Amino acid sequence: MRFSRPMPVFDATPSTGEAADFGDLPEWNLDDLYTSEDAPELTRDMAWLETACADFAAAYEGKLADLDATGMLACVHAYEAIDLIAGRIMSFAGLRYYQITTDSDRAKFMSDTQEKVTVFTTPLVFYSLELNRLEDEALANMFAENADLKRYKPIFDRQRAMKPHQLSDELEKFLHDQSTVGAAAWNRLFDETIAGLQFTIDGEDMNLEAVLNLLTDQDRAKREVANFELARVFEENIKIFARVHNTLAKEKEIDDRWRKMPSPQTARHLSNHVEPEVVEALRNAVVAAYPKLSHRYYALKAKWLGLETMQTWDRNAPLPKKDEKTVDWQEAKDTVMEAYAGFDPRMADIAAPFFSEGWIDAAVKPGKAPGAFAHPTVTNVHPYVMLNYLGKPRDVMTLAHELGHGVHQVLAAEQGELLSSTPLTLAETASVFGEMLTFQAMLAKATTKEERKVLLAGKVEDMINTVVRQIAFYDFECKLHAARAQGELTPEDINALWMSVQAESLGPIFEFTPGYATFWAYVPHFVHSPFYVYAYAFGDGLVNALYAVYAEGGEDFQEKYFDMLKAGGSKHHSELLAPFGLDASDPKFWDKGLSMISGMIDELEAMED
């Protein structure tokens, strides 16, 4: 169900500056969900949800096997209506919380709301269990008989993929009830700990977002100070972060063992509707490409910075001659909207209300969740985008990224509540494509060699962060979960696992000071969505291949692209890519995407001649 899905928090690279410098930054208007936590509409919907769940169970529990096609369609529609209201309620509670995670009233409201929704929906646990007990032939006959029901076949197929991993009805109900004091509680502890971290630099108190910003500062001394202050505070809190990771990994291991999952990654692959061998091909292609991508680029960057050896605080350093002027909000908006309109005016039309209707929350504020995300809410409302906008070119790319998600979510909403949700592997398509459109538009306007170099280097770094860094994150998670299965991990154990993938992925040009070993602690994906991270690399590789088709003048590309986004979760990735002549199961597919990054590094190297 949608309300149980965590909101994604993307690994957007922060920037530095003061919110007042960037113009009138928009804030969310959540009234399209509910006007307040005591709004009569919210009270009404909560009461409706409790009754509807009980009525659904009374009408259908133990009876799914007796339904004909018409009856099954009515059942699905009833379930979808419940999903819609539950998703609306939890979207409102969650978005309010992420605006100020340190507000105890908002945190209590979200927690209380989650507990109520969990209790109300517990009677629905039977639904997926009984669906999985239906005979294949019986379902096939229903789909043949009723075209409207057949439209939901992808939902049935995904649910039945979990059939071998299904527990007893009683155990499934217990796990559903217990969820609010399990992973959800540890997620909340992590969020509140991260939001409450305080750092001190030159006598000034800062939050995590502000200190991470300094890692992109032109002044190397400031970057170094920020690095060690991050390490100091992470070390002070490392036992909490280690406890969170130990507990969540162990809980997952228990759940996986009971469900007979063959690996810790299996559940993620199933939810992403992607075959393990496809992910393995992606992972292997990226790791094999480390020397020609990250190793080669960072060696080149070291020359630009005049360094024989890079430190971790140099990884996201700006180029020495880079113009440090900030980008105000209006300029950022115009840049992205022009790029979107240049691809297809319909894309800009869909994006426009995000700016004018309070669908974006852009400013950095005390207690606000770090990073950025686009949350689809429910299909009869609209998505909301969260940013922490601080005026650097990377923030423009973050806007392009999250707005791409928003456009995708608007288009996919046509599928309805159950079919709109896109697997994570394909959820990154529109966002990364939006970034690529914006980058190419900016590159086309470059008038000097130096300007082109800065843009190319920035894009290469973003793609390395999206592909190389995220696959390194994925390898870290694989090692973490494998090690935790053997016993409790000390903070030092986790540090060692982190460093084993960092050295491999970043390359020999880097030295690693001891404090960097704790930097796993602040990455939210490891906590909220285990093994999520490969979706970024999947999306980047897919988009690079897609963009190559577009650049080659693929016939009716825009129409095919919009059709792909409109499909939401109604089709498998193989069906969505087929019109473009692409196949993600072919290892050469990933090489094509990686070659685009390598080609940009080739151009940067040629500029040195």
Side-chain angles (χ1 to χ4, degrees):
M1 280 191 145
R2 182 166 298 230
F3 53 81
S4 65
R5 186 185 60 196
M7 294 185 185
V9 180
F10 297 144
D11 193 25
T13 303
S15 311
T16 186
E18 294 296 331
D21 298 338
F22 311 126
D24 187 15
L25 294 176
E27 293 188 1
W28 279 335
N29 177 359
L30 300 179
D31 288 357
D32 289 343
L33 293 167
Y34 300 102
T35 55
S36 68
E37 64 180 66
D38 56 2
E41 294 83 0
L42 178 55
T43 303
R44 176 202 66 202
D45 283 355
M46 193 68 87
W48 180 90
L49 182 65
E50 182 177 19
T51 301
C53 290
D55 290 348
F56 184 90
Y60 294 111
E61 187 167 13
K63 303 170 186 174
L64 292 191
D66 300 325
L67 295 177
D68 60 13
T70 302
M72 182 61 76
L73 180 62
C75 177
V76 171
H77 285 163
Y79 186 90
E80 190 166 35
I82 290 170
D83 201 25
L84 194 71
I85 295 299
R88 188 187 195 107
I89 292 169
M90 285 313 305
S91 292
F92 176 70
L95 292 172
R96 283 185 77 252
Y97 169 70
Y98 277 105
Q99 281 184 300
I100 315 177
T101 61
T102 52
D103 184 322
S104 57
D105 289 337
R106 292 183 184 223
K108 173 178 167 53
F109 176 71
M110 188 182 77
S111 180
D112 289 347
T113 302
Q114 178 71 75
E115 286 184 10
K116 288 178 182 176
V117 170
T118 299
V119 170
F120 295 166
T121 55
T122 295
L124 306 185
V125 172
F126 80 90
Y127 178 68
S128 59
L129 305 178
E130 286 193 32
L131 280 182
N132 281 351
R133 286 197 288 266
L134 297 179
E135 296 294 332
D136 291 342
E137 184 179 355
L139 272 178
N141 290 338
M142 286 193 223
F143 294 144
E145 181 182 332
N146 191 309
D148 291 333
L149 179 63
K150 186 178 180 180
R151 195 175 77 83
Y152 290 96
K153 185 177 183 295
I155 300 297
F156 286 82
D157 290 344
R158 286 172 209 157
Q159 179 58 49
R160 289 169 73 80
M162 292 296 295
K163 186 174 181 178
H165 312 293
Q166 187 169 292
L167 302 177
S168 69
D169 292 15
E170 188 176 29
L171 268 177
E172 294 286 2
K173 288 180 180 179
F174 167 76
L175 290 173
H176 182 85
D177 267 349
Q178 187 262 354
S179 63
T180 57
V181 292
W186 290 97
N187 277 220
R188 180 177 164 187
L189 173 62
F190 173 84
D191 289 338
E192 292 176 355
T193 302
I194 284 289
L197 293 180
Q198 287 296 311
F199 306 82
T200 304
I201 294 180
D202 295 334
E204 180 183 354
D205 290 337
M206 297 181 173
N207 63 12
L208 175 63
E209 194 80 17
V211 184
L212 289 171
N213 293 340
L214 293 177
L215 295 179
T216 65
D217 198 276
Q218 189 73 258
D219 187 335
R220 192 177 191 226
K222 288 184 179 179
R223 299 198 304 270
E224 182 177 357
V225 169
N227 177 88
F228 284 110
E229 179 63 4
L230 288 165
R232 181 187 70 81
V233 175
F234 291 158
E235 182 61 36
E236 286 182 353
N237 294 272
I238 202 67
K239 289 184 179 179
I240 294 176
F241 292 123
R243 173 58 47 218
V244 169
H245 283 69
N246 267 291
T247 304
L248 288 174
K250 184 60 179 178
E251 181 186 63
K252 188 176 191 313
E253 186 273 327
I254 293 169
D255 190 75
D256 286 346
R257 176 160 34 90
W258 277 76
R259 294 186 183 282
K260 296 181 173 57
M261 294 284 184
S263 75
Q265 301 84 7
T266 298
R268 177 61 63 198
H269 298 337
L270 287 171
S271 68
N272 283 345
H273 324 307
V274 64
E275 299 76 16
E277 55 271 21
V278 172
V279 178
E280 188 68 9
L282 164 64
R283 182 263 172 202
N284 291 343
V286 173
V287 172
Y290 284 171
K292 70 176 183 180
L293 299 181
S294 50
H295 297 186
R296 185 162 63 117
Y297 174 75
Y298 288 129
L300 186 61
K301 185 171 185 176
K303 291 181 183 179
W304 297 336
L305 296 175
L307 301 172
E308 291 187 7
T309 301
M310 295 264 280
Q311 299 293 340
T312 53
W313 55 84
D314 298 318
R315 185 173 62 85
N316 284 322
L319 300 191
K321 297 180 181 179
K322 186 172 181 179
D323 186 356
E324 284 295 285
K325 79 178 182 70
T326 57
V327 182
D328 68 31
W329 179 250
Q330 187 62 45
E331 183 181 352
K333 172 187 172 183
D334 291 345
T335 299
V336 175
M337 290 293 279
E338 286 174 12
Y340 277 26
F343 173 72
D344 193 300
R346 290 173 293 177
M347 186 175 285
D349 289 345
I350 295 168
F354 283 84
F355 295 95
S356 60
E357 302 298 324
W359 300 1
I360 300 177
D361 195 299
V364 175
K365 292 170 280 192
K368 183 177 177 180
F373 63 71
H375 184 56
T377 72
V378 287
T379 53
N380 61 355
V381 184
H382 53 75
Y384 283 90
V385 164
M386 193 196 83
L387 307 171
N388 279 278
Y389 188 82
L390 289 165
K392 283 191 174 178
R394 275 191 176 135
D395 295 320
V396 181
M397 289 300 176
T398 301
L399 172 61
H401 181 105
E402 303 305 341
L403 205 57
H405 278 299
V407 168
H408 193 175
Q409 290 159 359
V410 169
L411 289 169
E414 297 176 11
Q415 294 291 337
E417 196 65 18
L418 295 180
L419 285 165
S420 64
S421 183
T422 309
L424 293 180
T425 43
L426 293 169
E428 293 302 323
T429 304
S431 54
V432 180
F433 196 83
E435 279 190 77
M436 181 62 80
L437 290 173
T438 303
F439 164 72
Q440 293 291 350
M442 295 170 70
L443 192 66
K445 293 181 180 179
T447 56
T448 66
K449 176 181 175 181
E450 188 62 31
E451 188 179 355
R452 185 175 181 87
K453 176 181 174 180
V454 167
L455 285 169
L456 278 170
K459 185 59 177 173
V460 167
E461 291 202 12
D462 286 344
M463 290 195 290
I464 286 175
N465 283 334
T466 303
V467 178
V468 170
R469 187 163 169 79
Q470 301 304 324
I471 289 300
F473 281 2
Y474 177 68
D475 278 355
F476 166 71
E477 285 191 276
C478 292
K479 291 185 176 186
L480 175 73
H481 285 262
R484 181 63 183 91
Q486 303 305 311
E488 179 88 6
L489 300 175
T490 66
E492 292 74 23
D493 292 333
I494 303 177
N495 291 351
L497 295 175
W498 172 256
M499 292 309 301
S500 71
V501 301
Q502 293 302 304
E504 179 188 20
S505 63
L506 294 179
I509 197 69
F510 277 92
E511 282 185 351
F512 297 92
T513 54
Y516 185 69
T518 63
F519 276 45
W520 54 269
Y522 79 94
V523 181
H525 306 78
F526 304 154
V527 174
H528 292 298
S529 304
F531 305 106
Y532 179 111
V533 289
Y534 74 72
Y536 290 116
F538 194 107
D540 197 90
L542 189 155
V543 165
N544 287 344
L546 266 181
Y547 195 86
V549 175
Y550 171 55
E552 292 164 3
E555 186 177 353
D556 297 327
F557 183 91
Q558 280 86 340
E559 290 302 324
K560 294 175 184 176
Y561 181 75
F562 275 94
D563 286 344
M564 179 174 66
L565 301 191
K566 289 176 183 178
S570 67
K571 293 182 179 179
H572 188 264
H573 64 78
S574 59
E575 295 178 85
L576 294 174
L577 293 177
F580 303 97
L582 300 172
D583 178 7
S585 65
D586 182 355
K588 294 179 182 178
F589 171 85
W590 302 114
D591 291 335
K592 178 182 291 190
L594 295 172
S595 294
M596 178 175 284
I597 307 174
S598 183
M600 290 182 181
I601 300 174
D602 290 343
E603 183 174 348
L604 287 169
E605 286 182 333
M607 289 180 179
E608 299 300 296
D609 297 338

